[in-house]
Amino acid sequence: MKLKELKSWLDQLSDQELEKELLYNSMDYGISGNVAEINRSDDNLYYVGDEPVLLHTRHDLEKRGFTDKQINELDVEIPKGCYYIELSNEYSILQRFVS
């Protein structure tokens, strides 16, 4: 979904509807909860297999000792300038699956 489509949909809601909480639901993991915030990425964000799951900027990875070649081989999880939602209790959810 593009932000323009989301805005158009939100513009159609009444003020009463706009006062309701925004929730997420992941059918893949059987979890749901409140959306705490929407973030904008100022840099490309990468995932390198950390637990808890963390996203890192190129600068973060360079400080951790990753080479340019290693970073260039990683997938960009969240491209620079995009908006994304973090599931605030994701770590506790992952712990349930690991246990």
Side-chain angles (χ1 to χ4, degrees):
M1 173 180 268
K2 295 189 185 274
L3 289 173
K4 184 185 341 186
E5 295 166 330
L6 176 60
K7 182 182 181 310
S8 175
W9 183 79
L10 289 170
D11 286 344
Q12 295 176 33
L13 296 178
S14 68
D15 288 342
Q16 183 179 359
E17 287 293 311
L18 290 171
E19 288 297 321
K20 293 181 179 179
E21 291 290 328
L22 178 60
L23 305 174
Y24 65 84
N25 180 50
S26 173
M27 292 178 14
D28 291 339
Y29 298 108
I31 58 171
S32 60
N34 291 338
V35 173
E37 64 182 321
I38 299 173
N39 301 301
R40 183 180 188 276
S41 61
D42 294 327
D43 297 293
N44 286 336
L45 299 176
Y46 305 88
Y47 172 64
V48 294
D50 293 333
E51 288 200 26
V53 174
L54 299 171
L55 296 175
H56 303 279
T57 65
R58 175 177 282 276
H59 181 70
D60 294 337
L61 295 175
E62 289 169 347
K63 286 178 18 183
R64 290 180 59 181
F66 282 77
T67 66
D68 281 341
K69 183 177 188 251
Q70 289 171 315
I71 296 170
N72 290 337
E73 291 174 353
L74 295 171
D75 291 332
V76 174
E77 296 294 328
I78 309 280
K80 178 180 180 177
C82 286
Y83 293 87
Y84 63 99
I85 296 169
E86 287 185 346
L87 305 182
S88 58
N89 59 347
E90 186 173 0
Y91 180 66
S92 61
I93 293 161
L94 289 174
Q95 286 298 93
R96 284 191 285 170
F97 289 107
V98 173
S99 300

